[in-house]
């Protein structure tokens, strides 16, 4: 028993070691990932319930690692935040999203808006240059209202003057702002009256059991009512079934995003999705 216990400990220590090694290697590899064109954006359609059409899309980053294949952002974004590389990666995401928005707006005469995720670390960094972003839009000739940003509640709870100022600059420029993962983590709503926000994205944990959990339905309906009274639009995340879509329509939710409509798609596949009407 003693030996096996020791073996287990050895195994455990070894796997902790592997884990740390793995993190270090990813952090190292990430430094070259932008230049080596290993990042890719996927686009998930967001459906306007009123028209049934795709009116927006969320840009979601993927890392095509030479040895490991596609790595989820849930794994490498935290590492990018730790190392500070998130600003450089975020700049790439913004430019890539802008380039696609430009292309799709020219190809299809639709007012498509692409949203990019801006992590709290990235938003608060001095290295984030909104001026550069706006200058870039100017250069490629894309109207800022074709882009929006998704931020999280935590950023606004104890917002510094710097955060407030940046938020104002985004909105003054015409870049709309969405609160991502709304409803989880914080119960303070007071920031909603202090900041000018455009969308609330109801977290997918509320949508998952919409059909069976009466509380989730009540809370979702309350979020929609509150948002509308405040002049905000609501996007439901993680819509996976027709029944969920139906309930969301009933409670007056404005937009839906989720596997029911489409998974996040590479640019070419998203483009095909754009030309086909949504069921
Ligand atoms: P998020 O911003 O909340 O993005 C939504 C996540 O839910 C995405 O995971 C998406 O693929 C997934 N999803 C969409 N529809 C459904 C559905 O119907 N059911 C389920 N179960 N999941 C659905 P993904 O792409 O793995 O991204 C994970 C997180 O990584 C994102 O969560 C976001 O926080 C972060 N992330 C992704 N791209 C970027 C980026 O470019 N920059 C930053 N800073 N963060 C990013
Ligand atoms: Ca998001
Ligand atoms: Ca989300
Ligand atoms: Ca508003």
């Amino acid at each position: 028993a003693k030996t096996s216990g020791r073996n287990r400990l050895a195994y455990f220590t070894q796997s902790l070691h592997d884990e740390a090694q793995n993190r270090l290697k990813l952090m190292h590899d990430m430094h070259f990932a932008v230049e080596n064109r290993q990042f890719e954006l996927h686009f998930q359609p967001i459906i306007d319930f009123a028209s049934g059409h795709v009116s927006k899309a969320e840009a979601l980053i993927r890392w095509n690692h030479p040895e490991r294949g596609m790595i989820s952002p849930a794994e490498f974004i935290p590492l990018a935040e730790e190392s500070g590389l998130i600003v450089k990666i975020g700049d790439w995401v913004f430019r890539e999203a802008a380039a696609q928005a430009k292309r799709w707006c020219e190809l299809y005469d639709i007012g498509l808006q692409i949203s990019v995720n801006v992590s709290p670390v990235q938003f608060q960094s001095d290295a984030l240059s909104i001026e550069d972003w706006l200058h870039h839009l100017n250069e490629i000739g894309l109207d800022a209202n074709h882009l929006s940003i998704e931020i999280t509640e935590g950023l606004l709870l104890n917002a510094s003057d710097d955060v407030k100022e940046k938020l104002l600059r985004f909105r003054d420029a015409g870049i709309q702002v969405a609160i991502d993962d709304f409803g989880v983590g914080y119960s303070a709503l007071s920031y909603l009256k202090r900041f000018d926000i455009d969308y609330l994205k109801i977290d997918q944990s509320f949508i998952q059991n919409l059909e069976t959990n009466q509380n989730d339905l009540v809370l979702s309906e309350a979020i929609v009512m509150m948002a509308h009274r405040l002049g905000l639009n609501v996007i439901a995340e993680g819509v996976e079934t027709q029944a969920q879509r139906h309930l969301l329509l009933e409670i007056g939710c404005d937009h839906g995003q989720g596997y029911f409509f489409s998974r996040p798609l590479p640019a070419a596949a998203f483009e095909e999705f754009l030309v086909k009407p949504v069921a």
Side-chain angles (χ1 to χ4, degrees):
K2 253 208 168 123
T3 338
S4 85
R6 204 182 303 138
N7 282 343
R8 259 203 307 277
L9 181 64
Y11 179 75
F12 180 67
T13 321
Q14 182 63 39
S15 66
L16 274 186
H17 180 73
D18 290 350
E19 170 95 26
Q21 286 286 105
N22 181 31
R23 279 167 47 90
L24 277 178
K25 176 160 168 33
L26 281 189
M27 272 203 190
H28 172 267
D29 293 351
M30 215 184 301
H31 276 97
F32 314 102
V34 170
E35 281 77 16
N36 293 346
R37 304 167 148 274
Q38 290 167 2
F39 289 122
E40 193 182 320
L41 284 189
H42 284 191
F43 298 87
Q44 187 174 35
I46 298 176
I47 276 70
D48 179 348
F49 283 138
S51 70
H53 292 139
V54 180
S55 58
K56 306 174 192 300
E58 177 173 2
L60 295 156
I61 195 171
R62 302 289 180 262
W63 182 6
N64 198 351
H65 191 276
E67 290 135 41
R68 288 193 39 197
M70 284 292 183
I71 305 180
S72 149
E75 184 174 350
F76 68 83
I77 291 291
L79 299 181
E81 292 186 321
E82 255 179 70
S83 68
L85 260 184
I86 187 66
V87 176
K88 184 179 168 192
I89 294 172
D91 285 346
W92 178 84
V93 168
F94 183 82
R95 281 162 181 258
E96 186 68 16
Q100 292 298 350
K102 170 79 179 162
R103 174 181 161 79
W104 290 324
C105 287
E106 273 173 2
L107 278 177
Y108 314 98
D109 189 19
I110 49 172
L112 190 72
Q113 187 184 67
I114 309 279
S115 67
V116 296
N117 291 283
V118 178
S119 95
V121 175
Q122 178 189 359
F123 197 100
Q124 285 166 302
S125 166
D126 290 335
L128 172 74
S129 171
I130 302 174
E131 298 315 313
D132 282 355
W133 284 16
L134 298 178
H135 182 71
H136 180 70
L137 293 185
N138 206 20
E139 257 178 0
I140 66 168
L142 180 73
D143 207 299
N145 60 21
H146 290 297
L147 291 170
S148 58
I149 58 167
E150 301 192 4
I151 58 174
T152 47
E153 294 174 278
L155 183 68
L156 303 183
L157 273 187
N158 298 303
S160 63
D161 288 342
D162 176 59
V163 165
K164 290 176 194 162
E165 196 193 304
K166 281 180 179 162
L167 208 57
L168 274 176
R169 269 156 77 203
F170 274 114
R171 292 202 75 265
D172 284 349
I175 295 183
Q176 292 194 311
V177 179
I179 304 292
D180 205 357
D181 308 332
F182 185 79
V184 293
Y186 301 94
S187 51
L189 295 170
S190 60
Y191 68 85
L192 286 175
K193 64 179 187 195
R194 283 184 286 124
F195 297 103
D196 211 348
I197 301 295
D198 299 289
Y199 305 99
L200 296 185
K201 297 191 75 171
I202 305 181
D203 189 70
Q204 52 192 51
S205 59
F206 289 92
I207 311 302
Q208 229 159 46
N209 305 309
L210 215 52
E211 298 131 275
T212 49
N213 189 327
Q214 183 70 15
N215 289 344
D216 285 346
L217 186 61
V218 169
L219 287 170
S220 298
E221 185 168 20
I223 291 172
V224 171
M225 282 173 64
M226 175 189 73
H228 286 172
R229 294 292 294 272
L230 291 170
L232 313 178
N233 282 310
V234 183
I235 301 169
E237 299 195 272
V239 183
E240 293 186 355
T241 68
Q242 177 70 272
Q244 289 164 357
R245 171 185 164 271
H246 194 77
L247 286 169
L248 288 164
L249 270 171
E250 271 185 358
I251 64 172
C253 186
D254 307 286
H255 298 89
Q257 172 184 1
Y259 297 165
F260 175 70
F261 303 108
S262 169
R263 287 184 176 261
L265 303 167
F270 177 79
E271 209 169 302
E272 268 176 49
F273 192 94
L274 270 186
V275 296
K276 277 181 278 176
V278 186

